[in-house]
Amino acid sequence: MDIFMPDIYQKNIYDINYKKLKKAGIKCLLFDLDNTIAPISLKVPNRKIRDLMAELVDMGFTIIIMSNSGKARVEPYKDHLNIDASFLSKKPLKRKYQKIQKIYGFKDTEIAAIGDQLLTDILGANRMGFTSILVNPISCNEFSIAKITRALEKQIYKKLLKKGLLKKGVYYD
């Protein structure tokens, strides 16, 4: 069950202590898109998202959207935020994570992956040895495949709660 345990758990992307991450040596932030950065109904980033991403770039982070969604969904965020993105990433598989590492030259210890799903975002980050950061989903509306993984995720949450490892709404960093 440890493979599903996030290193950090926060309510949303705005509550993460990015200064602490920077101090810990994190240089690259891999953000999931759907229900992490934005609800699936939002087609382009709003002002709050743009401001956060600009602030993180100003802090010296390399920001990359890493999404299992297709190019048409991810590209408007990539373009409006002027950051890099990986679409159809097939998280939690390692291939796209490894490609990003090769392109940018970051060590495992210099990357944090942020997302709302244990079975894709957290599992993928943990398999790579990255800092894994779980946030609550922004919305209940999801693409069909996410609905399937959420059912499995409920069982994992129950097991983690039973072991006293992770409780929804009890945040830590």
Side-chain angles (χ1 to χ4, degrees), residues 30-67:
L30 303 178
F31 280 92
D32 174 53
L33 175 57
D34 298 316
N35 276 332
T36 297
I37 292 178
I40 62 172
S41 59
L42 190 64
K43 303 302 179 202
V44 295
N46 60 27
R47 169 54 101 207
K48 190 174 181 181
I49 295 166
R50 290 192 312 267
D51 288 349
L52 175 64
M53 295 302 159
E55 181 183 330
L56 295 174
V57 168
D58 287 346
M59 288 176 70
F61 287 109
T62 297
I63 310 295
I64 302 168
I65 293 174
M66 189 171 184
S67 177

Side-chain angles (χ1 to χ4, degrees), residues 84-135:
D84 203 355
S86 171
F87 57 91
L88 298 175
S89 295
K90 298 181 182 174
K91 296 178 287 184
L93 300 179
K94 291 182 177 184
R95 189 171 147 263
K96 289 278 181 122
Y97 291 110
Q98 291 167 332
K99 185 176 181 180
I100 288 169
Q101 263 192 297
K102 185 176 180 179
I103 290 169
Y104 286 92
F106 292 116
K107 299 175 193 164
D108 303 351
T109 56
E110 296 174 329
I111 300 173
I114 304 158
D116 66 302
Q117 292 190 53
L118 293 177
L119 283 171
T120 55
D121 306 307
I122 302 307
L123 177 59
N126 287 344
R127 290 180 73 219
M128 291 299 297
F130 301 162
T131 297
S132 57
I133 304 173
L134 178 67
V135 295

Side-chain angles (χ1 to χ4, degrees), residues 35 137-142 147:
N35 276 332
I138 293 171
S139 169
C140 294
N141 293 334
E142 306 204 74
K147 290 177 184 179

